[in-house]
Amino acid sequence: PDDRRGRIWVAIENEAQNRVSLSVSDDGVGMPDETDILSSATLGLQLVKVLPDQLGGILDVNLRAPTQFKVRFPFTEAIN
């Protein structure tokens, strides 16, 4: 808002053996409390909703500033 520049952070972390978290957050004003991620028609929130299912993970969401979406999922190294 008001032509304010913002920042976006993306982080991938090992949380425990064979578990990883991917988080995306920003320093914006947050999202309205009534935001329903499960029924949103926006492409971005539809992707947020689908990713945990595809990775076999769970989604944690903080809609207030700072807005953060975190997906925790199992991870095993690829075998060459």
Side-chain angles (χ1 to χ4, degrees):
D2 302 322
D3 293 326
R4 186 174 73 97
R5 296 183 62 102
R7 293 184 181 172
I8 298 173
W9 291 272
V10 178
I12 298 176
E13 300 176 90
N14 285 323
E15 291 199 330
Q17 185 175 2
N18 297 327
R19 294 209 56 88
V20 173
S21 71
L22 167 66
S23 65
V24 178
S25 58
D26 66 30
D27 65 351
V29 297
M31 298 177 78
D33 288 338
E34 63 273 4
T35 301
D36 183 359
I37 294 169
L38 298 178
S39 64
S40 176
T42 67
L43 177 60
L45 290 179
Q46 286 180 5
L47 292 173
V48 165
K49 178 173 57 175
V50 170
L51 183 62
D53 291 337
Q54 290 186 351
L55 296 175
I58 58 172
L59 175 65
D60 294 325
V61 178
N62 180 29
L63 295 178
R64 298 186 183 199
T67 302
Q68 181 183 53
F69 297 94
K70 181 181 275 192
V71 179
R72 293 181 165 99
F73 56 95
F75 175 78
T76 56
E77 290 187 37
I79 300 173
N80 292 328

